[in-house]
Each structure stands twice: as C-alpha cells, then as structure tokens.
Amino acid sequence: MPDLRTAPTRRSARFWRDAFTGYGMATPWFIGFLVFTAGPIVLSLFYSFTAYQITTPPRWIGLANYRILFFDDPKFRISLYNTAYYAGLVVPLTVINGLFLATLMNQNIPCRALFRTIYYLPSVISGVANAMLWLWVLNPRYGLINTMLSWFGIKGPPWLSSAEWAKPSLVVMSLWGVGGTMIIYLAGLQGIPQHLHEAAEIDGANAWQRYWRITVPMLSPTIFFNIITTIIGSFQVFTQAYVWVESGVGMGAGPRDSLLFYVLYLFRRAFGELQMGYASAMAWILFVIILVLTLVQFRIARYWVHYETAPEGGI
Amino acid sequence: MQAHRAQPFWWWQSRKLRSYLSRGTVFTVLLLGSVLFLFPLVWMLSTSLKTNEQVYRVPTVWIPNPIAWENYPRALSRMPFLLFLRNSCITSFIPVIGAVLSASMVAYAFARVPWPGRNFWFMVLIATMMLPGQVTMIPVYVLYSKLKWINTFLPLTVPWFFGGAFYVFLLRQFFLGIPQELSDAAFIDGCSHLGIWWRIIIPLAKPALATVAVFTFLFTWNDFLGPLLYLREERLYTLQVGLQYFRLQHQVNWQELMAASLVVLMPTLVIFFLGQRYFVQGITLTGLKG
C-alpha cells in the first residue's frame, strides 16, 4: 500500500507495525513448522544413525542401519521392488488415462457435467471402506471383476491371492481414482485460450494436429504436475495394502510378500518392532528417492514442458 | 460439390456429419466407461442388501429380492457404532475449525501484510509441502508419546491449529485476488490487520474457506494412519479403525461388511454431491491452469 506511506517517519512506524503483525499472524505456522517439520527432520536424521526404541535413549550406531538396509535386508529390497513395480505401472497409466478422459470430456457432447461427476466421484472415495470394497470386488470367485470377465468367457485371475496378481490388483484399484487427475487436466484444458485453436484451424491444421501441436504443449505444465504428484503418491501407498494384508489375504504381506510396500514395511519396523532408528533410516532413503525422481523429472521437463509465461506462485 | 457423392468416404468430407460421428463416438466411449466407474459402488450397494445365500449365488444376483435391509442394523450392532461415529466426528470437526481459522490467518499474513522475510518463508512453506510425511512421522510420534498424548484425540486435532502448508498456499492465492482497496479503506477507518482479516477477508473468502473445510473434513474422516497410530483403545476408535477392527473380529460376511463400509462412506458421498464445486475450485485456486 505505497500510497498510504507518505512521510518518512510514518513509513517507519508503519513498517514496524506491519513486521510485527506479519510475524504475529504467521506465528501458528512458524510454531507448526518448528514443532512438526523442522525439528522432526533434524531428529529423524539423527535417529537414523541410532538404535532407538523410545523407552531407552537413542544409542549412536553410525551407518549401521543404512548398511543393514542396503546389504542385509531382503525384505527392504522386496518392499522397494514392490513399490517401484507399482509406481512404474500406476504413474504412466494414471497420467495417460487421466489425459485421455479429460480430452474426451472437453469435447462438446451432451451430459458433460454428469460424466465429470461420475468419473470424479471414485477419486474422493478413500480410506478403509474403499479397501474393503475392493477386497470384495476383486474376490476371485464372486467378485465383480471376475464376474464381468466371465461374461466374455475369460476366466479371471486370482487377484489378491496370487503373488503375480496382487500388485496389478492395487493398480486396478488406483485407476478407479483416475478422476482426480482428470479433473486437474480439465481445469488446465479450460485455461487454454480458444483463439490458438481458431488460428490453427484457419491455417489448415486438422483436429489431430491441433491436439498435438497446441493442446498438449499448452497443457504440459499440468501434465508435469500430475507426473510429479502421482510419483510421490505412488511411493507412499499404505492404507489399501495395510487393510488387505491385515485382513488375512495371506500370511506376511500378501502371498510371497507381494504387497509389502515400502511405507508398510517402514510402518511395521517402526510401530510393530519399535525400531525407530531403522525406520527413520528407511524414511530418509524414501525421501532421497522421491527427491531424486522429482529432480530428474524437473531436468527432463526442460525439454518438453512449455511455459507460456514464467509460472507464478503455482507449482 | 456434386462430385462428393461419387467419391468413396464422401461422408468424411462432410464437416457436420464428421463432427456428429466423432461426438457420437466420444459420447459412447464415455457412457461405457461411466458404467464401469459406477459399477463398484452399485455392486457395493447391491451386496449390502443381499441375504447371505444371494451373495454367493451364481449367476450373480444384481437386484436383491427380497431386500435384506436388516444387514445394516446387524452390521452396525456388531460394533459400538455410535461411539465410533462420535469419535470420528470429534476428530473431523475440530480439525476443520482449526484448519480454517489458522490457515486463513497465516494466509492473510502471507498475502496482505508486507513483512521482512515474507517471500523467503513462503518458499520454505512451499518446500514443506514436498516433504514425504514418513520423514517426520517418527519424531512426531515420539514427541506425542513423551507428552503422554497417545490414546487421546490431541495428536489428531491439535496439529490442525498450526496452519497446514497446503491450505495456507491455497488461501493465499485466493486472498491475493481480493481487491486491495477494500482493506485500504478499512485501514483509513482505523481497522487493524487482525480486524481486516476477521471482518473483511473472512466474509469475502467464504467459498475458499469452504474448500479448505471440505478438504480437511474428507482427509480427517478418511484418515486411517493417524488413528491407527495414536488410538490404541477401542473406546477411542474412529469409524475407519472400527471398520478394520470389525473386519478382523468377525468371519467374512460380505453383505454386512459392505453395509458397514457404505455407512462409513456416506459423509464422503454427501459432501461430494453437495460441495463438488469446492473441489474444482481448490484445483483452480492452486494455480493449476494450463
């Protein structure tokens, strides 16, 4: 509000008052940042170099947790493999199908709002009830999916009760929530100025060309955002796996530990066996993995993400 | 023009027909897809109203006859439903109040008050959104156990009063769009920042605050990890934990499990249909435009 700042003396008083009010009003966040973010980051890094069981004070053991994780823990490797497998399937499928659906829904067709609601609805359904629903939908004998497959004479796979199909089951379930990605694309699509398409049409570009030369480049920041958030989300999958595993789908974590995802394993180490140091080391490895993947994406983004203007405020 | 008719694929040359055909195809694809997307929920509802014999009958029973309404009271009476419902309400409504109040105040400071270091701290705030929760989960758990907060609702409610980063970010974007003249006028009338936030910004920002409230409610209502970690006694269980517990305690009884799950999903579905525009608004507010 520069127009209100007239005399130099008043400006100074105003400056101090604003500084005081600003920090004052942001205080809740500052406290939260210290207590729930900054402090815990430092502590968890420290814990990762210790053996710590809460009841006794942490004991410094140097890199031992990391050494065991990298060289002596087959379950860690399984959990990493499972998570990478899941992410490797779910990220491209979600990003591409979301775009596909949003593109279709952006056409001038009847009942658009209704379709949008129907496809978006499953993505807000989460938690235990959702995991229970899919436990039943994926039931090998009486479940919805295998019933529908049988109409086409296909004998459906045993889904959660086989090591090969347990992870694809989770992928199928995640794809049911593709509407969340779709709705973000739709917001992006609606932000593309119509005149670009009109100009290209006058220049003789057909619909296919217009899509690949205008829509996709203009949408690339949104595609990029969806890739990043889907990667981050897929590495943190927990509730569904936990509910399925604890619901007696198999011993351990699904057949042959096929549902032992990274965060599930971390959770078991931390709160099942109270190995807080070990679990903290796992959390840091996860953090580094996500960070590296994100940075790699940012690096690749230079070659394909097109910013009309410098992004402002957004991610 | 007449030559069109003689050519093969003449219909492809007709713009109108082509657009009609392509739109028809798109419509059909979306229609088939929406049947697929709705099926699991319909299946859930249908199962929840079947008798035990109908659940396992082949070929599948789609519309239960007779309708087994009794599955609902039976499923809910297998757990202390009202108690779990109360716990879920406590751990959802208090965070909603906390998030709306604290995030809007902090967002006001970031959007409307010029203070030294503001941009730096805003970058820090953005950076915290990228941090995976697992990194802070263990020290935060240790903190709560030292404070003797395990087995209370405090770990699930108190943190919401400290302005969650995502909500601060979202509200800041909205506040930036409220005309500056309004607060300038109030300033001249001697109103403080706190007064402007409370009397001018909050009433004007109701749609954005509703978005925050909806997001917070859905997150806390469906949260499983938090209650699983901090609530170890049955009397404190929320519906999410209660549902899992129900599943483990009893033999697989799909019709009742689906009935209980559907009841737990109900608030989510209701909020979705009533507040759909607030979801969409949340997306546009965070600047996710092309």
Side-chain angles (χ1 to χ4, degrees), chain B residues 14 205 240:
Chain B
S14 155
Q240 299 290 331

mmCIF file of all heavy atoms in Angstrom, chain B residues 14 205 240:
data_model
loop_
_atom_site.group_PDB
_atom_site.id
_atom_site.type_symbol
_atom_site.label_atom_id
_atom_site.label_comp_id
_atom_site.label_asym_id
_atom_site.label_seq_id
_atom_site.Cartn_x
_atom_site.Cartn_y
_atom_site.Cartn_z
ATOM 1 N N SER B 14 -17.930 -34.404 -45.259
ATOM 2 C CA SER B 14 -18.955 -33.529 -44.689
ATOM 3 C C SER B 14 -18.597 -33.187 -43.245
ATOM 4 O O SER B 14 -18.568 -34.047 -42.380
ATOM 5 C CB SER B 14 -20.321 -34.218 -44.745
ATOM 6 O OG SER B 14 -21.153 -33.697 -43.738
ATOM 7 N N ALA B 205 -14.102 -14.418 1.708
ATOM 8 C CA ALA B 205 -13.398 -15.614 1.244
ATOM 9 C C ALA B 205 -14.175 -16.890 1.547
ATOM 10 O O ALA B 205 -13.593 -17.977 1.521
ATOM 11 C CB ALA B 205 -12.013 -15.673 1.880
ATOM 12 N N GLN B 240 -13.011 -45.458 10.788
ATOM 13 C CA GLN B 240 -12.053 -46.119 9.904
ATOM 14 C C GLN B 240 -11.378 -47.286 10.613
ATOM 15 O O GLN B 240 -11.299 -48.396 10.083
ATOM 16 C CB GLN B 240 -10.984 -45.132 9.419
ATOM 17 C CG GLN B 240 -11.520 -43.960 8.625
ATOM 18 C CD GLN B 240 -12.047 -44.368 7.268
ATOM 19 O OE1 GLN B 240 -11.597 -45.327 6.668
ATOM 20 N NE2 GLN B 240 -13.024 -43.640 6.782
#
